[in-house]
Amino acid sequence: MAHTVGFQLADEAATVKMGNQLAELMEQGAVIYLHGDLGAGKTTLTRGVIQGFGHQGKVKSPTYTLVEPYELATANVYHFDLYRLGDPEELEYMGIRDYFSPTAICVVEWPEKGGEFIPTPDLDITLRYVGEAREIEIKSISPRGDSIVEKISSY
């Protein structure tokens, strides 16, 4: 059963913190789709998720490489940015299916460009501008997503 929650994110720090909370609640792998205009906070939220799994360094958007892998002690996190993808079939050539293992965390910016080459998400997240702040809507798509959204609702 799909659950949806929404929160106001006052600033960049709040967006990173939300990503940290999501990471905390992912007990196994997950596929997360991120939607929003350029600059809406997709990469900032992803930075929070990746840092939530223990990454200490920079988190950059893989706009030109399509994927940035983070093989960490607690999880393998793969950050995809499909904004510049010309044809979804290119994903097949780069071996995209290999990244989506049952225990990997895959965060996908601009998932609509991936077509049928990327799996259905556990969480479908939309970030929107609200003045200087952001609004986040987190929708569960799978039982794994339901579990995460139920827990984040209680924060």
Side-chain angles (χ1 to χ4, degrees), residues 55-71:
H55 180 69
Q56 300 295 318
K58 284 189 168 283
V59 172
K60 60 183 180 103
S61 183
T63 304
Y64 294 99
T65 58
L66 295 182
V67 64
E68 190 68 40
Y70 297 89
E71 295 178 355

Side-chain angles (χ1 to χ4, degrees), residues 22 25-26 30 123 143-153:
L22 285 168
L25 298 172
M26 288 182 221
L123 295 175
R144 183 184 292 178
D146 286 344
S147 167
I148 294 166
V149 170
E150 285 169 14
K151 291 176 195 162
I152 208 163
S153 301

